[in-house]
Amino acid sequence: LVRLSSEDRNYLQSLNPAAGPPSSDAAAQERLPIEKRTWPDKVSVPTKSIEIASILEKPEERKFVYQSEAFEFTSQARLAGTVMMEVARTFEATRALVDALPWGIVCRPPEGRARFLAQLYETREDYTAAGYPELSGGVYSSGDKIFKIPFPSLGLEKRGQTYAKNSDYSNGTLVHEITHQLMDDYLGFLPKWVIEGTAEYTEMLPYNAGTFRAEAHKNGLKEDVEAWEKHEGFRLEIPSLKKMLTMNSREWDVECLTPQKMRDMYHRSQLLVYYFCHLDGDAKGSRFIQFMDAAYSQVAELRAFFADPRVKRMDGGRFSYPSDSPPPDMNPLTAPFKHLHLLQAERPYAQLAQEIMNSFRTIGLKVQVGE
């Protein structure tokens, strides 16, 4: 139903007005046509989004629960309302950004939850003891769909008996992982380079005190490129475009066996997403937006499948369904690539590689791309 035209949905509703709009996702009815979507200049978090409510305090269990508009934070230590507001600001600002970008992402909490969840660990030792990578600044777990992060990665410093927020702390990694959390429904329908490239894209945008300068995307990219070349020795190249675009998650993991190789893959992903968003075709990102809308149709199809009362969820992520209503394609080897042709637009890889190199030259970057 969510994939029907507004005219057809209105007709169905007219048959039974008491039933309400026939849609499992109200946002689907409000999607702008691609040609009417625009790239934002600045995106600021609304004040109401960071109004904090203290929900639970259990000092003996080191459990303190706070809520902003779209997030629920479980902290191991009590945080003052003003400090919690500063923590929530980055989360809610990132949600406002992803919502404002013309990608058409519907930022909806996981099924059965009113808010996105975040677990805040007081020390890095607490964080690693819970089983999370020692060298990571924070992780989004797609298994339980909870963002986990230690206080130091939030810029929280203990001053006396209380915590304060360091306003100079960089929120880059935080924005990256929050983007993954907001796009969780889409992760099974996107290639890894799109998943990481979109998160790198939001991370590169200049950010300060709840405002993203989205119009400064070109400067953000160039600053990143300068840092890559100066501090990491990264060469601006994509050795094989075909391999990069069609790489499944298993192949991606093989390519990311070392931290350096992983960084290289993230940088290449960022370059590709930037190209498709701002340099390809009409330079308005129309093909990329069309591709993301196609992924949204897969998300909507899956949501509609699980909304069917005949589909029963079981332990371990399993589910049962009637034989006449099979689930949509969720195979990680095929589902993320179903709409890749929308980006390629019948261009041979050699031609597309040349177009990518030529387009980056127009903004002063020499990117080498192999077929």
Side-chain angles (χ1 to χ4, degrees):
L1 292 174
V2 299
R3 299 174 66 183
L4 295 178
S5 69
S6 58
E7 182 181 0
D8 286 344
R9 286 198 301 268
N10 291 336
Y11 170 72
L12 289 177
Q13 186 177 358
S14 71
L15 299 180
N16 185 8
S23 170
S24 64
D25 191 338
Q29 301 182 42
E30 303 168 4
R31 296 177 73 79
L32 282 175
I34 291 175
E35 64 272 12
K36 292 186 178 181
R37 298 185 203 176
T38 57
W39 293 85
D41 291 332
K42 289 183 174 64
V43 179
S44 297
V45 60
T47 303
K48 65 179 181 63
S49 295
I50 54 174
E51 293 176 354
I52 302 300
S54 178
I55 304 302
L56 177 71
E57 291 195 0
K58 290 188 175 182
E60 68 281 2
E61 297 180 18
R62 299 178 70 197
K63 185 175 183 179
F64 302 84
V65 180
Y66 307 94
Q67 290 179 349
S68 61
E69 182 177 53
F71 290 86
E72 180 173 289
F73 305 90
T74 300
S75 170
Q76 288 187 327
R78 180 184 285 109
L79 297 173
T82 53
V83 175
M84 194 61 240
M85 183 181 297
E86 289 303 314
V87 171
R89 190 187 303 275
T90 305
F91 284 80
E92 293 287 358
T94 305
R95 180 174 71 102
L97 172 66
V98 173
D99 185 63
L101 290 171
W103 298 339
I105 302 297
V106 178
C107 301
R108 194 180 83 166
E111 196 69 37
R113 294 180 184 171
R115 288 173 171 81
F116 298 99
L117 302 185
Q119 176 73 50
L120 315 182
Y121 293 88
E122 187 170 10
T123 68
R124 188 161 292 281
E125 290 72 24
D126 289 322
Y127 175 74
T128 55
Y132 305 112
E134 186 174 353
L135 298 179
S136 66
V139 294
Y140 172 64
S141 171
S142 58
D144 58 15
K145 304 186 185 305
I146 301 176
F147 188 106
K148 286 98 170 181
I149 189 167
F151 278 18
S153 293
L154 292 167
L156 293 178
E157 302 172 339
K158 195 160 191 177
R159 299 175 186 173
Q161 297 302 310
T162 61
Y163 280 93
K165 184 80 162 59
N166 181 344
S167 59
D168 295 328
Y169 188 81
S170 172
N171 288 289
T173 299
L174 184 57
V175 171
H176 180 113
E177 295 297 332
I178 295 171
T179 300
H180 286 330
Q181 183 173 27
L182 295 170
M183 292 176 60
D184 180 82
D185 279 350
Y186 297 74
L187 302 185
F189 302 113
L190 296 174
K192 286 289 289 186
W193 68 267
V194 176
I195 294 172
E196 296 304 338
T198 49
E200 290 288 289
Y201 180 96
T202 57
E203 180 179 344
M204 84 179 183
L205 298 177
Y207 171 80
N208 183 52
T211 297
F212 284 94
R213 289 180 50 222
E215 90 288 355
H217 54 79
K218 187 189 299 183
N219 289 339
L221 176 66
K222 289 187 173 181
E223 288 176 6
D224 278 1
V225 166
E226 183 180 356
W228 301 344
E229 294 179 324
K230 182 177 181 180
H231 302 297
E232 300 175 13
F234 176 73
R235 295 178 59 188
L236 286 180
E237 66 174 357
I238 300 172
S240 171
L241 180 62
K242 180 179 180 180
K243 181 179 180 180
M244 190 74 187
L245 293 181
T246 61
M247 190 179 300
N248 62 47
S249 57
R250 297 174 188 171
E251 294 166 337
W252 175 278
D253 291 342
V254 172
E255 291 291 327
C256 296
L257 289 179
T258 69
Q260 180 61 58
K261 288 183 177 181
M262 181 178 290
R263 283 196 299 267
D264 290 351
M265 294 296 286
Y266 278 36
H267 299 338
R268 292 166 187 158
S269 299
Q270 182 176 339
L271 289 171
L272 281 175
V273 167
Y274 188 90
Y275 166 76
F276 283 114
C277 285
H278 298 293
L279 301 175
D280 183 37
D282 59 6
K284 297 179 181 178
S286 294
R287 288 190 182 115
F288 189 74
I289 296 170
Q290 186 182 8
F291 171 79
M292 295 299 283
D293 268 14
Y296 174 81
S297 71
Q298 292 173 278
V299 171
E301 189 178 359
L302 187 63
R303 288 174 178 170
F305 171 77
F306 281 114
D308 187 331
R310 298 174 300 167
V311 176
K312 306 298 181 184
R313 292 183 183 269
M314 298 180 287
D315 293 338
R318 297 177 301 125
F319 54 88
S320 64
Y321 55 90
S323 58
D324 61 344
S325 298
D329 181 13
M330 293 182 283
N331 187 329
L333 300 180
T334 57
F337 308 101
K338 186 168 291 187
H339 304 292
L340 198 58
H341 65 279
L342 296 174
L343 293 178
Q344 194 167 350
E346 299 184 353
R347 291 171 288 185
Y349 286 106
Q351 177 187 338
L352 182 53
Q354 190 62 55
E355 289 182 15
I356 293 173
M357 291 189 286
N358 293 343
S359 297
F360 273 114
R361 286 194 191 102
T362 66
I363 62 171
L365 294 179
K366 295 181 180 179
V367 181
Q368 295 299 314
V369 183
E371 179 183 346

